């Protein structure tokens, strides 16, 4: 099979665009889309100090690699931060990959652990309260720690490796849970506060599978382990549903995300008016809209 | 196992979701529309994990 853009052999078929691409044209398309996404949403500026949320999974490693490549054309600082939840048999492997990637690229790396911030590992939290879903704990604590970690390293933005699949899943999950206000603020907080480090998602228009292909081509080590708690999550159900739809109707994920981006302003206008002013959590001093923040409630 | 068809058809037969894997034939990435030969060695690599 030949590349749709040259005479070389294709290595990939993209069903949503009906294109076959060779290695060179795939990488070119990937890098171009990465930069276009950053431009489209004005994610980066000269002189920014970016904290990259680096889990060691393929998405965050590709993000680190692509941002490092972009530094050649746009001067900004970068530091990687990893949150170690303390999940036996899972995090140690990806943490090792994260460390290696930072060493290869010469990027400063900081690791923050659940244990030092929340007093216990996710495994212990799950053991203590088996009725609660570990993913809801993990999501809240990880978000809290990434934000705090980014602030600690002096970053003015936090880059995360959310890809097109993640964004499409989140949009659908918020619709299926009837949470339009949450959907309105998912891409950008409605209420700003100096304690909240703005998040950027340069891979939000890149399909997850293409991140894996890119990682393979660039020699980035791929994790081969699944989080042992993943099957608990509602996200797993939505992921399966979306992947089935994508196979039957290629382009579904792009269409969901594009539809969201089209209505995002309308949602923000509607729900922005009812957003309350942010206060301070009386326990930890972090920004919170409802007294004690979710993080403090969860670890107490 | 001997299979006559494309990786897309093979994945369908094995009930593996195409969106979650990458296919290598004889150690190289190939488009999943490629017609397989009897002697080809196909590797299906899971690349999408929950977490």
């Amino acid at each position: 099979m030949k590349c749709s853009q040259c005479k070389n052999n294709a290595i990939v078929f993209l069903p949503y665009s009906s294109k076959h691409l060779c290695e060179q044209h795939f990488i070119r398309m990937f890098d171009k889309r990465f930069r276009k996404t950053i431009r489209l949403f004005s994610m980066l500026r000269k002189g920014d100090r970016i904290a990259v949320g680096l889990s060691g999974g393929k998405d965050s490693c590709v993000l680190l690699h692509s941002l490092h490549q972009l530094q050649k054309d746009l001067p900004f600082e970068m530091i990687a931060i990893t949150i170690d939840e303390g999940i036996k048999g899972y995090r140690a492997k990806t943490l090792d990959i994260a460390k290696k990637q930072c060493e290869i690229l010469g990027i400063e790396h900081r690791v923050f652990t659940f244990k030092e911030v929340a007093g216990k590992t996710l495994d212990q939290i799950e053991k203590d309260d088996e009725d609660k879903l570990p993913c809801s704990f993990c999501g809240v604590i990880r978000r809290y720690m990434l934000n705090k970690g980014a602030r600690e390293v002096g970053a003015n933005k936090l880059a995360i490796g959310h890809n097109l699949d993640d964004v499409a899943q989140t949009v659908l999950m918020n619709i299926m849970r009837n949470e339009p206000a949450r959907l309105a603020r998912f891409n950008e907080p409605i209420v700003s506060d100096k304690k909240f480090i703005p998040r950027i998602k340069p891979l939000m228009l890149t399909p997850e599978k293409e991140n894996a292909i890119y990682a393979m081509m660039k020699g980035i080590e791929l994790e081969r382990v699944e989080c042992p708690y993943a099957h608990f999550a509602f996200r797993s159900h939505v992921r399966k549903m979306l992947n089935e739809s994508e196979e039957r109707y290629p382009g579904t994920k792009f269409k969901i995300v594009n539809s969201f981006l089209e209505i995002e302003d309308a949602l923000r206008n509607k729900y922005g008016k009812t957003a309350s002013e942010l206060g301070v959590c009386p326990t930890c001093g972090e920004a919170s809209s409802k007294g004690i923040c979710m993080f403090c409630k969860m670890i107490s | 196992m001997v299979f006559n068809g494309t990786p897309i058809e093979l994945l369908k037969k094995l009930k593996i979701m195409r969106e979650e894997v990458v296919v290598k034939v004889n150690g190289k990435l190939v488009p999943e529309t490629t017609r397989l030969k009897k002697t080809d060695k196909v590797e299906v690599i899971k690349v999408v994990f929950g977490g």
Side-chain angles (χ1 to χ4, degrees), chain B:
Chain B
M1 145 185 198
V2 178
F3 179 80
N4 187 20
T6 65
I8 290 180
E9 290 158 353
L10 176 65
L11 295 174
K12 210 170 182 177
K13 188 172 178 180
L14 297 172
K15 295 193 170 118
I16 294 172
M17 252 188 268
R18 204 167 78 216
E19 284 291 297
E20 296 186 356
V21 297
V22 162
V23 176
K24 278 186 175 180
V25 175
N26 304 323
K28 285 182 181 170
L29 280 172
V30 294
E32 288 151 8
T33 48
T34 308
R35 186 144 291 277
L36 297 168
K37 296 184 204 108
K38 272 183 185 174
T39 51
D40 283 339
K41 193 182 162 196
V42 181
E43 202 183 337
V44 179
I45 305 162
K46 187 164 168 62
V47 291
V48 172
F49 296 96

